[in-house]
Amino acid sequence: MATTVRRTVLTLPAGPLGPENPLPALRPLDETHVVDERDWAALPRDMARQIGLQPLSTVLPARILDGYGRERTPTALDAIVIENDRLRATVLPGLGGRVHSLHHKPTGRELLYRNPVLQPADFALNGAWFSGGIEWNIGATGHTALSCAPLHAARVPAPDGGEMVRLWEWERLRDLPFQVDLWLPEDSDFLHVGVRIRNPHEHTAPVYWWSNIAVPEGERTRVLAPADEAWHFGYERTLTRVPVPVSGSVDRTYPLRGEFPADYFYEVPDGARRWIASLDEDGHGLVQTSTDLLRGRKLFLWGSGAGGRRWQEWLTEPGTVGYAEIQAGLARTQLEHVPLEPGAEFSWLESYGPLSADPLTVHGEDWAAARAETEQRLAEVLPRADVEAAHAAWRPFADTEPGESLATGSGWGALEVRRGKYELPGTPFADSTLGEQQQPWLELLDQGTFPEPRRAVPPGPSMVSPHWRDMLETAPAEPLTEYHLGVAQWHAGDRAQAVRSWERGLVLAPSRWPLLRCLAVAAEEGRQRDRAADLYGEAFDDLCAERRDEDEAWTAAAAALGREALEALLTAGRPAAARSVWAALPPAIRQRGRFRLLEARLLIAEDDRAAARAVFDEGFEVEDLREGAQILDEVWAGITDEPLPDRYNFRMRPER
């Protein structure tokens, strides 16, 4: 059959994604993947330089997604299927363009880890993320803020005369447009993926990209890559060079042989072919290869320890096969960002397909022989020169204007194109995609004023890049304008000026709680705990006077501000004030797992450890438990010296 592209609907048990958190993300990133600057001196100079290249301090202008749940119901998801006689790829354009499945028809094998459920969890830079398939991570260290966001998608002519699928969006953390072209040539066993990131600005942009591939793990599944060394990153936040495959007497190329979750960034020699493969006990599995620009290769493993296995259950469901991740990126490690010059672009081609190799050699003790066998089998089914030729054939088609629309992304790209008058052949951002969230910013752009709302509502998203900040500074100083200006100034590092803007806005603001909350965060960041507690209490009282509990946006605001207020009041040692906030929360919010944990903390502060223990004994799930978080251990230790129950054990590093 010729390659076909069609739309379909995929139904999965899915946890509800919920609304956006309406509070601007002013706090520093809660990111586990960082290395202390004092350790940089021991790293290669180029690696240290790229680790220090404009790391993000917040996820502004993105909004946090933390309103999801764990009660899964059958949910219809729009999907795109790309298919020929050999492969069938299923893509979810509404969820970051994730490749959910890559099915090899002649053997009947699924090449990826295909998650049987869609369960949001707190792994993305801005919160909600889910496991499985192939994801496209752009922006900054971590899972992209677009993990659960819609991308634009359309049919585009393919280099071989058939059709391919283009995915594109405007990545807001770095303010850059990107595209992913999925091309499955007729009769091919390999899905080609052409990627392009463009910098339309007049300044150099730091770029991050890692293609993340979930593969089934097994006792005899081995990950192979062309390297004898790797950079090991554990959740102790250290980066060390280790030998491959054996480190600490354990062969780390078998994901289940390590105890704790860890990253291994392979040191692929210059000039070597870029590839990584995951092969099972019979030598069958998936291989990913690319043109040379995509330099890095990585293995992430959950390990065999109790914490890693608990996370696996959390992200899918008990009784299903676990997974590991093999990845490919622009730099050697995910701690780095690569500079992209003004007006320039990065482009490369990746290929994904089945691979079979001699199992005795692949699983033998001779690592060099195992690598050579795998690379030779790859050369037989997809020579390196063919990947280079496919990239060269694709490049002229990268500018081709899309045809039939298959999905619609956000309106933020259209807003930026309108402001900057950018010419971006191949990735149109049409005015028709502009929506409610972009409308106030359109008015600022076209008329020089930011509109005040006609009724009391939680503020919409802020824009923080320099050109929008300049427009806010020259707009009439209305309360909502001062609010957004302060957010932009805070993002730029001008904390004192941000506070002044929020204080100016507070004088005439009909709705005070958004500004008070910003001032509370500023006080917390300045280690003024008592002032922060006062401001949070005032902000929450003001919100309660305005909120309408039947409205989803107000419920999200009450949950977000109530949580922050409770944490600030407990930190300041004010359990009575915290209890008042708790009592004012809607009952449905108090039943959420995050708030049951806060209740336990409140009870400990009230010196009622028996009641706090009863909260744990009754059972709860913190829906938005953060990757690497130790909060469950810490609260449990405040109640008892007993071992932490298994259901609450999400440890990702050894106990200290």
Side-chain angles (χ1 to χ4, degrees):
M1 63 181 289
T3 301
T4 60
V5 172
R6 59 184 169 87
R7 283 185 283 194
T8 188
V9 174
L10 179 69
T11 299
L12 288 178
L17 188 58
E20 294 178 331
N21 184 326
L23 306 184
L26 301 175
R27 301 179 191 281
L29 285 176
D30 182 18
E31 176 53 57
T32 58
H33 299 87
V34 294
V35 176
D36 194 304
E37 288 188 33
R38 292 170 294 185
D39 297 332
W40 291 5
L43 303 176
R45 186 172 300 176
D46 63 328
M47 183 185 293
R49 184 171 58 251
Q50 292 185 164
I51 288 175
L53 180 63
Q54 298 182 44
L56 288 181
S57 58
T58 76
V59 297
L60 289 168
R63 293 183 121 180
I64 301 297
L65 291 172
D66 58 4
Y68 46 85
R70 294 188 58 81
E71 293 185 6
R72 297 190 286 263
T73 58
T75 303
L77 305 170
D78 289 334
I80 301 170
V81 175
I82 313 165
E83 186 172 13
N84 66 7
D85 274 336
R86 313 287 297 177
L87 278 181
R88 181 171 62 248
T90 304
V91 182
L92 303 176
L95 293 164
R98 184 79 58 101
V99 179
H100 173 72
S101 168
L102 191 61
H103 178 78
H104 187 233
K105 296 161 86 170
T107 60
R109 287 193 288 115
E110 173 60 47
L111 302 180
L112 305 174
Y113 170 72
R114 183 177 58 195
N115 198 332
V117 303
L118 197 163
Q119 178 55 61
D122 193 6
F123 278 66
L125 286 164
N126 64 331
W129 170 86
F130 63 102
S131 64
I134 307 172
E135 59 179 301
W136 318 111
N137 287 313
I138 181 172
T141 300
H143 295 282
T144 177
L146 295 168
S147 292
C148 292
L151 303 190
H152 301 284
R155 298 177 190 266
V156 182
D160 62 353
E163 288 185 322
M164 60 183 176
V165 172
R166 174 162 302 157
L167 305 167
W168 74 99
E169 234 324 339
W170 196 279
E171 202 289 312
R172 301 179 68 210
L173 301 189
R174 297 303 191 184
D175 214 15
L176 300 175
F178 72 99
Q179 71 189 79
V180 177
D181 287 359
L182 304 169
W183 168 33
L184 181 56
E186 187 174 350
D187 298 325
S188 175
D189 276 323
F190 283 85
L191 175 70
H192 294 322
V193 180
V195 183
R196 177 166 65 167
I197 304 170
R198 288 184 274 193
N199 180 7
H201 306 298
E202 296 179 354
H203 59 267
T204 299
V207 172
Y208 174 94
W209 182 279
W210 281 80
S211 301
N212 184 355
I213 309 121
V215 291
E217 66 179 6
E219 292 292 341
R220 292 279 293 164
T221 296
R222 192 177 206 185
V223 172
L224 301 104
D228 292 314
E229 291 184 309
W231 292 93
H232 167 256
F233 182 85
Y235 287 79
E236 302 88 348
R237 301 188 176 187
T238 57
L239 191 63
T240 54
R241 195 192 296 256
V242 298
V244 175
V246 177
S247 172
S249 76
V250 176
D251 188 332
R252 308 289 178 173
T253 61
Y254 289 90
L256 283 173
R257 295 188 184 177
E259 183 177 0
F260 290 97
D263 297 328
Y264 291 91
F265 300 101
Y266 294 111
E267 188 69 67
V268 179
D270 290 341
R273 184 175 185 180
R274 269 61 170 155
W275 60 270
I276 189 167
S278 173
L279 302 180
D280 65 16
E281 61 184 354
D282 297 319
H284 304 310
L286 172 86
V287 66
Q288 186 270 2
T289 187
S290 71
T291 49
D292 288 354
L293 183 67
L294 204 64
R295 172 183 185 178
R297 292 298 185 275
K298 171 195 165 182
L299 163 64
F300 168 77
L301 54 88
W302 283 109
S304 59
R309 305 330 295 171
R310 183 71 180 99
W311 273 115
Q312 293 260 26
E313 292 179 352
W314 185 257
L315 296 170
T316 174
E317 60 183 11
T320 56
V321 65
Y323 73 96
E325 293 171 356
I326 58 176
Q327 304 186 24
L330 282 173
R332 276 184 288 190
T333 74
Q334 289 175 330
L335 310 175
E336 303 169 67
H337 298 80
V338 181
L340 180 59
E341 298 301 315
E345 66 179 47
F346 288 141
S347 81
W348 65 90
L349 188 119
E350 307 178 41
S351 299
Y352 296 82
L355 191 71
S356 294
D358 174 45
L360 294 178
T361 306
V362 164
H363 295 288
E365 294 185 3
D366 187 336
W367 173 244
R371 280 174 37 200
E373 163 68 9
T374 307
E375 187 156 355
Q376 176 59 36
R377 298 299 184 188
L378 173 60
E380 292 170 2
V381 295
L382 186 66
R384 186 177 187 179
D386 286 4
V387 177
E388 299 288 347
H391 181 231
W394 166 73
R395 280 297 291 114
F397 288 80
D399 284 347
T400 301
E401 288 305 302
E404 179 195 357
S405 174
L406 300 173
T408 303
S410 78
W412 297 113
L415 182 66
E416 291 297 342
V417 167
R418 187 156 166 174
R419 184 207 60 80
K421 299 179 172 57
Y422 301 124
E423 297 291 335
L424 298 169
T427 54
F429 294 94
D431 281 353
S432 60
T433 63
L434 293 164
E436 182 180 354
Q437 291 190 332
Q438 291 82 42
Q439 286 306 316
W441 299 97
L442 274 177
E443 186 168 328
L444 177 64
L445 178 63
D446 295 340
Q447 302 178 29
T449 60
F450 196 90
E452 290 290 308
R454 294 186 177 89
R455 58 187 177 88
V457 292
S462 297
M463 300 291 281
V464 298
S465 52
H467 35 265
W468 291 108
R469 188 172 72 246
D470 291 345
M471 281 186 268
L472 288 167
E473 287 176 344
T474 58
E478 300 294 339
L480 189 56
T481 306
E482 295 286 7
Y483 163 83
H484 286 297
L485 174 58
V487 173
Q489 291 165 333
W490 182 271
H491 176 264
D494 193 349
R495 303 291 174 86
Q497 190 58 56
V499 168
R500 285 192 286 271
S501 294
W502 292 326
E503 288 175 340
R504 281 196 307 269
L506 200 58
V507 175
L508 296 176
S511 184
R512 293 167 51 85
W513 66 266
L515 293 151
L516 289 167
R517 181 265 176 179
C518 290
L519 291 169
V521 173
E524 274 192 323
E525 292 299 305
R527 302 183 183 231
Q528 299 172 289
R529 290 183 176 180
D530 287 333
R531 174 167 167 74
D534 290 340
L535 289 164
Y536 265 121
E538 188 178 353
F540 188 73
D541 287 345
D542 189 70
L543 181 145
C544 287
E546 290 187 8
R547 79 184 195 214
R548 296 183 297 277
D549 288 346
E550 71 282 358
D551 184 285
E552 183 182 68
W554 281 107
T555 300
L561 185 56
R563 171 181 170 178
E564 291 187 5
L566 281 166
E567 290 174 341
L569 290 164
L570 289 172
T571 299
R574 300 188 191 178
R579 176 61 69 182
S580 295
V581 170
W582 174 264
L585 287 168
I589 291 176
R590 293 202 298 263
Q591 291 305 310
R592 296 180 186 176
R594 172 62 65 178
F595 287 86
R596 297 302 310 282
L597 179 62
L598 279 168
E599 181 184 16
R601 290 178 58 190
L602 176 55
L603 290 164
I604 292 171
E606 294 171 334
D607 202 26
D608 191 348
R609 284 172 174 75
R613 171 65 182 262
V615 172
F616 275 81
D617 290 345
E618 184 179 338
F620 61 89
E621 294 183 319
V622 181
E623 297 89 349
D624 61 334
L625 187 67
R626 185 67 176 168
E627 174 189 11
Q630 300 289 301
I631 186 65
L632 289 168
D633 303 68
E634 293 164 4
V635 176
W636 179 257
I639 298 172
T640 176
D641 293 332
E642 296 176 21
L644 183 70
D646 289 344
R647 68 175 297 177
Y648 301 115
N649 182 3
F650 292 87
R651 295 188 185 111
M652 299 184 77
R653 58 176 178 258
E655 292 186 72
R656 295 177 180 175

